[in-house]
Amino acid sequence: MFKTSLLIIAALIGFQASAATQVWDLSNSSGTSSSLSMNINGVNANITGWSGTGYQNMRQAWIGQWSSGSGVIHDWNEYNSNTHHSMDNSGQYDAMLITFDQEVSLDSFSIGWHYNDSDVSVAAYTGNGSMTDLSGTSWNSFLTSGWTSQGSFSDVANNTYQSISPTVTSKSWLISAYNPFIANMGWSTGNDFMKLSGLQTSQKITTEVPEPAAIALFLLGLATLAGRKRNV
C-alpha cells in the first residue's frame, strides 16, 4: 500500500498541463463570401478579409476560396478581372482577421500558392475581449489599437507550416501579406501575393495540482504509517 500511495502522489505532481490542438483547412472551392465560419473540436472561428492603405481606415473585403487556399478580394470588379485573388500588399495591405470563441495560441500557418514573393506578418489582439471589426482602424494606428506584433516571416514556402512561436494567447489573430506597420523588417512591398491554406492552433488545458502544503501533509501521514508498519 505504501508503494502504491507513493505512485499516486508522483502521478498527481507530474500531471500538470496538456494541449488540445486544431488544424484549420482554408483550401476549398466554394467561391466567395463575406466571411468564413468554421468549427473544430468545439472551437469556433470566424474569418473576415480586410484591406487598406497605411493611413486610411481599413474596409472589409471578401474572402475567396480556391483549392490552393483563401485570398482577399476588394470588390466585384477585381473578382471578375481574375487578378489579385490573393492576400497581397500591392496598392493596399490585405489581411485576414481570425476570431475564435476562446483564447488560443496561433502556432503556425501555411500558404498553398504564391506569386513573386511570400512574406507574411502576424499580430495578436491583446486588448479586452476579442476584435471582429477593423473598419475604424488604419494600419499606421494598428499597434496602438490593442494589437501586438507576433513577427514577420520571409519567403514562406508553399504547403509547409510556418512556425510562429507566439508570445501570447488571444481570441483574435491577424495574418497579413508583409506589412511594415505590423513588423518593419525593411523588406520590399508590393510584390507579395499568396493564398492562406491552413492554420494550426492550440489551447492549454491545465489540471489543478494539489497545493504543496497538502502534498507535504500527505507525505507526513504516509511516513507515519510506514513507521508504524516497521514497529509492528
Side-chain angles (χ1 to χ4, degrees):
M1 165 142 182
F2 181 65
K3 290 183 179 179
T4 302
S5 299
L6 288 178
L7 289 174
I8 293 174
I9 293 174
L12 286 172
I13 295 174
F15 184 69
Q16 297 183 15
S18 60
T21 61
Q22 302 83 35
V23 179
W24 308 83
D25 183 5
L26 277 65
S27 301
N28 199 305
S29 57
S30 63
T32 304
S33 59
S34 59
S35 65
L36 302 178
S37 294
M38 307 175 71
N39 177 288
I40 296 181
N41 298 331
V43 179
N44 294 299
N46 186 69
I47 303 173
T48 52
W50 295 88
S51 189
T53 62
Y55 299 92
Q56 296 177 333
N57 285 345
M58 282 181 261
R59 61 189 180 94
Q60 188 170 351
W62 295 335
I63 295 287
Q65 286 188 285
W66 292 270
S67 59
S68 57
S70 297
V72 176
I73 301 174
H74 302 156
D75 53 43
W76 188 250
N77 289 331
E78 184 177 87
Y79 178 77
N80 283 336
S81 67
N82 199 33
T83 61
H84 291 213
H85 287 180
S86 59
M87 183 173 68
D88 62 72
N89 53 17
S90 177
Q92 302 184 63
Y93 297 102
D94 295 342
M96 292 188 195
L97 172 63
I98 309 106
T99 301
F100 301 91
D101 63 350
Q102 49 198 286
E103 286 199 358
V104 301
S105 170
L106 180 57
D107 299 322
S108 60
F109 66 89
S110 66
I111 62 173
W113 171 92
H114 77 273
Y115 173 71
N116 262 345
D117 208 356
S118 55
D119 302 336
V120 179
S121 299
V122 178
Y125 186 67
T126 50
N128 294 325
S130 61
M131 175 60 67
T132 60
D133 189 351
L134 297 176
S135 56
T137 306
S138 60
W139 286 121
N140 73 310
S141 64
F142 183 71
L143 292 181
T144 61
S145 303
W147 289 89
T148 301
S149 172
Q150 297 297 298
S152 288
F153 307 88
S154 65
D155 301 326
V156 176
N158 291 351
N159 304 313
T160 300
Y161 273 94
Q162 168 67 55
S163 177
I164 296 174
S165 299
T167 60
V168 298
T169 59
S170 177
K171 289 185 176 181
S172 298
W173 292 84
L174 183 134
I175 298 181
S176 169
Y178 170 60
N179 189 328
F181 291 101
I182 295 177
N184 192 346
M185 309 298 291
W187 302 334
S188 61
T189 59
N191 60 343
D192 297 287
F193 300 81
M194 68 209 70
K195 291 176 182 174
L196 190 65
S197 60
L199 306 170
Q200 290 184 337
T201 58
S202 63
Q203 308 154 270
K204 289 183 179 179
I205 300 175
T206 56
T207 301
E208 186 175 351
V209 177
E211 292 289 336
I215 295 175
L217 184 61
F218 191 29
L219 289 172
L220 178 61
L222 288 176
T224 302
L225 287 174
R228 288 179 180 177
K229 184 176 180 180
R230 286 194 298 270
N231 293 329
V232 172

